[in-house]
Amino acid sequence: DVKVTQSSRYLVKRTGEKVFLECVQDMDHENMFWYRQDPGLGLRLIYFSYDVKMKEKGDIPEGYSVSREKKERFSLILESASTNQTSMYLCASSSLEGTPYEQYFGPGTRLTVT
Amino acid sequence: SQQGEEDPQALSIQEGENATMNCSYKTSINNLQWYRQNSGRGLVHLILIRSNEREKHSGRLRVTLDTSKKSSSLLITASRAADTASYFCATVNYGGSQGNLIFGKGTKLSVKP
């Protein structure tokens, strides 16, 4: 079974702190994604990556950056956390083979910025 | 950008009843997928229907796709309390970036024992 893990289930940070959210997948998937999920807004794509060292902006990249140094790991970075970045963050991965575009999700990180 | 719009936003039924959720989308698609999310957890893929398919079954799930109306429905038959979750449709746009899904805002299903 594909497993996508995220470094923390719950995280509390202060305004202005630099925050790292880590995501690791164990199925050699090419594609990896970061979403945030807010009530009434659904899932919104922040960044995605199709390959190592590759990154593409999603719908709401402002205030975020990403890093993909290894195929299995995709990190989301909040350079200077703000209260409006309090949200549920979901990482996902998918393969170019098999069922195309089916995404496998991690359990999520609920981030609170105070 | 939002593509799919689920309807209704919330649905409450008794155990054993059928639950039907609908999804409408705006542009031509390659395929449409349904995902489930238990409270506070990640999403789990349920079923995928391709643009050239009209109906697909998986266990108690039945998905239909009407590309002329740009709509899909997810039917859960003989629902159980464990089906309580939010359900999302997601589309892959025809000709869009590979791997990118566009999710709707979800239907919150509550199944009462």
Side-chain angles (χ1 to χ4, degrees):
Chain A
D1 279 350
V2 175
K3 194 165 184 184
V4 180
T5 57
Q6 295 182 229
S7 48
S8 306
R9 289 298 317 279
Y10 300 94
L11 207 53
V12 179
K13 295 290 182 181
R14 292 198 181 277
T15 302
E17 278 193 82
K18 190 168 186 175
V19 181
F20 292 86
L21 302 182
E22 304 284 342
C23 175
V24 178
Q25 49 95 3
D26 66 358
M27 280 301 291
D28 203 36
H29 283 175
E30 296 83 4
N31 305 328
M32 295 189 76
F33 308 84
W34 274 107
Y35 297 90
R36 65 176 282 178
Q37 184 177 25
D38 302 287
L41 297 177
L43 273 78
R44 293 180 291 169
L45 182 63
I46 305 172
Y47 267 98
F48 56 97
S49 170
Y50 294 141
D51 202 351
V52 176
K53 296 195 186 294
M54 255 208 59
K55 60 185 178 185
E56 297 276 350
K57 291 180 181 179
D59 298 320
I60 51 164
E62 296 79 18
Y64 303 94
S65 62
V66 290
S67 171
R68 194 164 180 203
E69 295 297 317
K70 293 184 178 181
K71 191 175 185 179
E72 67 271 19
R73 188 179 297 268
F74 192 35
S75 302
L76 179 70
I77 304 153
L78 286 66
E79 295 290 342
S80 177
S82 64
T83 55
N84 63 12
Q85 292 179 309
T86 290
S87 186
M88 173 71 124
Y89 290 87
L90 294 165
C91 174
S93 70
S94 70
S95 174
L96 295 175
E97 300 175 8
T99 304
Y101 313 121
E102 176 184 342
Q103 292 189 7
Y104 295 82
F105 282 81
T109 295
R110 188 165 293 281
L111 172 67
T112 302
V113 182
T114 62
Chain B
S1 54
Q2 294 293 332
Q3 161 82 306
E5 287 285 336
E6 289 90 347
D7 168 53
Q9 290 185 343
L11 181 61
S12 183
I13 60 174
Q14 294 294 130
E15 213 167 22
E17 293 181 340
N18 295 343
T20 300
M21 288 159 271
N22 303 298
C23 169
S24 59
Y25 57 91
K26 296 172 186 170
T27 61
S28 296
I29 60 170
N30 181 297
N31 67 59
L32 185 144
Q33 306 177 33
W34 285 91
Y35 287 78
R36 183 186 75 207
Q37 183 181 34
N38 286 50
S39 181
R41 310 291 298 189
L43 279 74
V44 175
H45 181 265
L46 293 176
I47 194 165
L48 178 151
I49 187 164
R50 298 179 194 278
S51 59
N52 61 354
E53 297 175 313
R54 291 295 167 258
E55 189 170 311
K56 202 159 183 183
H57 296 255
S58 176
R60 293 184 296 112
L61 304 180
R62 173 180 168 244
V63 170
T64 60
L65 179 65
D66 187 335
T67 52
S68 66
K69 293 181 180 177
K70 291 187 169 60
S71 68
S72 173
S73 67
L74 171 67
L75 169 67
I76 304 174
T77 60
S79 63
R80 305 166 183 168
D83 294 327
T84 295
S86 291
Y87 292 82
F88 296 85
C89 67
T91 56
V92 177
N93 286 353
Y94 184 80
S97 299
Q98 60 178 171
N100 269 17
L101 293 177
I102 303 176
F103 286 87
K105 295 180 183 178
T107 291
K108 193 167 186 176
L109 174 65
S110 175
V111 182
K112 297 180 180 174

